[in-house]
Amino acid sequence: MRLTALVAFLGFVVTTMAQAGDYAVGQIWSYRTRPGEEASHVIIDKIERNSTLGQIYHVTLRGVRMKNLNMSSGFQDLLPHLPLAKESLDKSVTALIGAGKADPEFLDGYREWKTAFDAGKAGVWKASLKQIVGTLEKAINP
């Protein structure tokens, strides 16, 4: 009985690890969220290769509950564009929950980032998504 449970557990771990490394445009992932944001998810919008940084993953976060005093509700539920290193996704995602298309909301932010990146004035996030949301929340609410 114990051996069967161990084999099943190891199979789950190996499957989860394999899934987490195989990212594709349009995938929707759950991730390790802040309390109260459990319904939030990440959509992979674009993957590009950079000779210095490797793969850059451009993602949208939907369903966050980020305090933003500039919004009439006082909260923001969408982060339309975040440029991430693979390590950020690897330490954040928990399960592949769907697949579809890139979220069109990301394009404006991507274009702005790309211009700044090409000029050497922007980079990519390496922190977990949970940490990124917290950092952005602190930055926009002095």
Side-chain angles (χ1 to χ4, degrees), residues 42-59:
V42 58
I43 302 166
I44 299 176
D45 297 311
K46 182 177 181 67
I47 303 170
E48 61 185 322
R49 177 101 182 119
N50 177 273
S51 60
T52 305
L53 300 176
Q55 298 285 87
I56 301 173
Y57 298 85
H58 300 277
V59 304

Side-chain angles (χ1 to χ4, degrees), residues 96-122:
L96 180 62
I97 57 173
K101 296 180 180 178
D103 190 321
E105 297 275 349
F106 97 99
L107 283 172
D108 288 339
Y110 170 77
R111 288 182 190 120
E112 188 175 326
W113 171 87
K114 183 69 171 157
T115 299
F117 182 79
D118 289 345
K121 297 179 179 182

